[in-house]
Amino acid sequence: MSGQQEVMGERMIKFKGVSINSGRIAGAACLYSAERHRAVPEFLLSNEDLVAEELLKFDEVLRQCSEELDAIAAQVETSVGRAESEIFITQKHIMNDPKVTDAVRAMVKNEKKNIEWAVSDVLNEYEYTFAKIDNQYLSERANDIGEIRRRLLGRITKAKSGLLCEGQAHCSRGANRIIAAYELTADMVAAMNLEKVLGFVTEHGGVTSHAAIIARSLGVPAVSGIRGIMEFVRCGDTIIIDGDNGEAYLNPDAATVAALIPVEPVASEAVCALGTPPGMTLLANASTMEDVKQAAAMGADGIGLLRTEILFIKAERLLDEDEQYAFYRRIVDIMKGKTVTFRMLDVGGDKPLSFLRIKKEENPYLGWRGARYLLGNPDIFTTQMRALVRVSGETPIRVLFPMVVDAEQQRALLDLADKVIAEKGSSRERIEFGTMFEVPSAFIDAEAILPQVDFASIGSNDLIQYLFAIDRNNEMVSQDFNPEHPVLWKMLERLSTVAREKGKPLSICGEMAAREGMQRPLLDIGISILSVAPRLIPRVRNEMARYAGLLS
Ligand code: PEP
Ligand code: MG
């Protein structure tokens, strides 16, 4: 077995991969294959009648696939959202592009090749060409071309991709199951009963692929890069997906299930009713509207981190002021007067907005990202701030600046914000501005940064990355990504002291706020505002209640 897999006990195998979406879940596996038509036959058409037949077949298949894509788009629009549904409309356009269809027809007519070979050859060539392009947006279109090829071939050869257990009596078509697949393709996600899938575990597939974005917007845990999983897993096997650590466990033993998937439903309901203990605040991190709804349902005290960049990533374009306003407004409405903290667009690093055509960077984590990107793109900043200022005219809100490196940069961001407030004839009173402490230099400059802002939040995911020079997304080094490191805790404690001295509320919104065993030490050092994924609220609230002596 490779270093990616570890046999533990009699049947359990632990796999190491890459997290596509966080969260943990245990469930039975359902296998999906998009690989059934790998071997494409190649033969020569011996007369013109056969050529004409193949061309007719192609027209018919194009029509059927176009209809199929329209139907999927409509289904996805209802079950996920409009932005995601556009993936399939784009695929329809690429599929019907005359450059593509003429090339296929020419191969059949001139070279007398059979239609499946022509489709495969032409689309393979396009996929390869796009994948090589040194531009993330265009290279990701290779995924779409691959999906179009599979769809067309599936129709021609009548060997559609699908669930491997399809037709068997126990097949639930993915409902309440964990889907194991070679690759998470957008059409595969669309073909399932999306609301019911528990999670995804795949051998291949990038963090920024469309399918990964859909998995994130569905809010289900997903891990990719699990090499060999399809070889080992059988339909109905139990799998744990640990999306927080990019790991999966096949046939886990009872102790592993109990350790990774704690069940405390009764206590959490009781504590939900009690609310967060006095003197503490429990906020939610949200990336999608679903997250916001879940946060409200879980009784979060507010939204501590609204990752606005996900809105843009999902839409695959920049949104104008009105569109942003409508979205932010809905969030505020759902939260019914509770605090909502909108983080300004935090792009770069692991969150490239491919449509912005940012030049490929050697070192994206140290490149044009966060606050640096906002200051370099005042138009984008200003449009977003205008939308936020409009919302603040109706309800007070909080706005958070990402990846701030020092007091000077903080000042520049606030100056830009002030210009928008003045232009809109609004007032600073309506917005509380905050800074994220996630770059080590900001911790050193905390005495100068804090007086400028109304509140602060610790982004421990990036902080650990930059403090220990360790990639937060690289599974090879994940064992050293250590939120318990004493150096980190020295920094947290020092910041907590400075924040108290300056009278500024300090929260923590990185993943460690929800990690088991972390709430007590955080509360001990005076960090009593925690912001965590919505579904983790009951567990974290219980821990806070135990700390306050309200729960045994
Ligand atoms: C963080 O860095 O800890 C954080 C909360 O922000 P993000 O994970 O979005 O970078
Ligand atoms: Mg961050």
Side-chain angles (χ1 to χ4, degrees):
M1 280 200 171
S2 82
Q4 295 243 318
Q5 304 145 9
E6 198 184 326
V7 179
M8 303 166 88
E10 244 176 61
R11 294 184 63 224
M12 178 160 94
I13 308 178
K14 179 180 174 184
F15 294 87
K16 191 82 203 121
V18 179
S19 174
I20 294 290
N21 197 28
S22 61
R24 288 184 194 151
I25 193 92
C30 219
L31 266 65
Y32 181 93
S33 172
E35 305 282 304
R36 289 184 184 182
H37 36 65
R38 221 179 212 166
V40 178
E42 178 188 10
F43 53 88
L44 285 178
L45 305 166
S46 53
N47 60 54
E48 286 306 316
D49 285 350
L50 288 176
V51 169
E53 228 173 75
E54 291 294 86
L55 292 174
L56 272 179
K57 198 194 279 178
F58 183 50
D59 290 342
E60 177 59 12
V61 160
L62 271 181
R63 190 189 59 73
Q64 289 172 344
C65 289
S66 301
E67 281 175 14
E68 197 170 75
L69 284 166
D70 281 337
I72 294 175
Q75 184 216 328
V76 171
E77 183 170 348
T78 323
S79 54
V80 186
R82 189 172 172 74
E84 289 76 11
S85 74
E86 280 169 12
I87 296 169
F88 302 97
I89 301 299
T90 306
Q91 286 189 1
K92 189 176 96 171
H93 291 315
I94 298 174
M95 184 176 78
N96 287 290
D97 187 322
K99 280 202 203 70
V100 175
T101 53
D102 287 354
V104 171
R105 288 194 183 100
M107 187 173 268
V108 175
K109 264 195 233 157
N110 307 335
E111 298 179 37
K112 309 278 183 273
K113 290 282 166 77
N114 55 315
I115 186 67
E116 51 268 63
W117 180 260
V119 163
S120 174
D121 195 66
V122 168
L123 285 157
N124 268 336
E125 186 65 34
Y126 270 104
E127 186 178 355
Y128 179 69
T129 310
F130 272 79
K132 274 192 321 194
I133 296 175
D134 191 14
N135 170 307
Q136 194 171 3
Y137 176 79
L138 291 176
S139 65
E140 279 176 4
R141 297 290 68 76
N143 291 339
D144 289 315
I145 297 169
E147 281 188 22
I148 295 166
R149 191 191 60 238
R150 285 191 287 272
R151 182 175 301 284
L152 287 168
L153 289 176
R155 277 274 168 191
I156 297 168
T157 61
K158 301 193 169 49
K160 282 169 74 179
S161 313
L163 294 159
L164 290 182
C165 47
E166 224 166 2
Q168 292 178 22
H170 65 271
C171 178
S172 66
R173 304 202 56 79
N176 300 315
R177 293 272 176 137
I178 286 173
I179 306 299
Y182 287 106
E183 195 168 1
L184 199 58
T185 59
D187 60 346
M188 153 192 158
V189 177
M192 314 228 163
N193 187 346
L194 293 171
E195 277 121 72
K196 298 228 166 119
V197 169
L198 297 179
F200 297 98
V201 58
T202 63
E203 298 219 2
H204 306 284
V207 178
T208 55
S209 66
H210 288 138
I213 292 169
I214 291 182
R216 278 197 285 274
S217 64
L218 289 172
V220 295
V223 175
S224 175
I226 302 277
R227 267 177 263 148
I229 189 96
M230 292 299 276
E231 200 185 311
F232 294 105
V233 76
R234 293 288 161 266
C235 232
D237 281 355
T238 303
I239 295 186
I240 295 181
I241 301 178
D242 179 355
D244 299 338
N245 294 303
E247 292 169 352
Y249 298 76
L250 179 59
N251 297 318
D253 54 31
T256 307
V257 177
L260 288 173
I261 318 280
V263 193
E264 359 177 11
V266 178
S268 46
E269 274 163 28
V271 174
C272 271
L274 280 178
T276 313
M280 302 179 193
T281 307
L282 183 53
L283 304 170
N285 294 342
S287 299
T288 61
M289 204 57 84
E290 275 318 303
D291 288 346
V292 177
K293 287 181 196 156
Q294 203 182 0
M298 292 286 184
D301 299 324
I303 303 287
L305 172 68
L306 194 291
R307 291 181 165 103
T308 60
E309 59 278 1
I310 305 298
L311 163 70
F312 293 77
I313 290 175
K314 283 173 69 185
E316 294 199 302
R317 63 186 172 84
L318 284 173
L319 299 173
D320 65 25
E321 181 186 324
D322 288 345
E323 289 170 313
Q324 290 190 53
Y325 165 77
F327 185 81
Y328 303 150
R329 199 42 242 257
R330 264 176 74 201
I331 292 170
V332 166
D333 288 347
I334 293 171
M335 291 312 292
K336 295 198 171 78
K338 288 183 175 170
T339 311
V340 179
T341 312
F342 294 96
R343 181 172 69 187
M344 295 290 288
L345 196 66
D346 182 16
V347 296
D350 59 334
K351 288 175 290 198
L353 293 198
S354 37
F355 52 87
L356 292 179
R357 312 274 197 275
I358 299 176
K359 193 174 156 295
K360 200 169 168 127
E361 297 173 296
E362 283 296 320
N363 250 321
Y365 286 97
L366 306 179
W368 223 25
R369 61 169 309 193
R372 199 176 291 138
Y373 182 84
L374 289 172
L375 288 171
N377 292 277
D379 289 352
I380 293 177
F381 179 102
T382 302
T383 306
Q384 185 171 29
M385 189 57 75
R386 282 188 184 130
L388 289 167
V389 169
R390 264 170 75 186
V391 177
S392 77
E394 292 144 22
T395 318
I397 56 167
R398 306 206 307 175
V399 170
L400 188 56
F401 296 109
M403 302 284 299
V404 173
V405 303
D406 60 15
E408 194 183 325
Q409 197 181 51
Q410 182 61 72
R411 168 65 34 231
L413 289 161
L414 287 168
D415 285 349
L416 261 185
D418 281 338
K419 272 197 199 137
V420 178
I421 290 172
E423 168 205 304
K424 289 270 183 199
S426 187
S427 127
R428 254 287 189 110
E429 252 72 291
R430 311 285 307 169
I431 301 183
E432 285 185 19
F433 285 105
T435 199
M436 278 197 78
F437 279 94
E438 49 186 344
V439 183
S441 58
F443 281 72
I444 297 170
D445 214 16
E447 276 89 351
I449 294 176
L450 282 166
Q452 297 183 36
V453 290
D454 304 300
F455 71 98
S457 192
I458 298 165
S460 52
N461 308 337
D462 276 313
L463 174 61
I464 298 172
Q465 161 160 273
Y466 293 114
L467 185 58
F468 299 109
I470 190 162
D471 185 343
R472 63 188 263 190
N473 295 320
N474 181 348
E475 73 278 5
M476 312 265 289
V477 295
S478 61
Q479 69 283 3
D480 292 332
F481 191 92
N482 180 14
E484 290 172 22
H485 200 295
V487 171
L488 172 72
W489 283 84
K490 266 190 210 165
M491 290 189 68
L492 299 183
E493 192 164 5
R494 183 179 169 275
L495 183 68
S496 175
T497 307
V498 179
R500 200 168 35 254
E501 281 165 13
K502 304 285 178 200
K504 305 293 162 138
L506 175 67
S507 60
I508 177 163
C509 59
E511 300 296 311
M512 69 181 272
R515 203 179 145 114
E516 276 171 65
M518 288 281 146
Q519 291 77 37
R520 273 174 187 273
L522 286 168
L523 291 161
D524 277 343
I525 62 169
I527 299 176
S528 56
I529 309 171
L530 309 184
S531 192
V532 306
R535 72 193 180 304
L536 301 177
I537 283 182
R539 179 166 62 69
V540 174
R541 183 172 275 153
N542 280 351
E543 205 42 49
M544 291 170 120
R546 280 190 200 103
Y547 186 89
L550 300 173
L551 192 72
S552 51

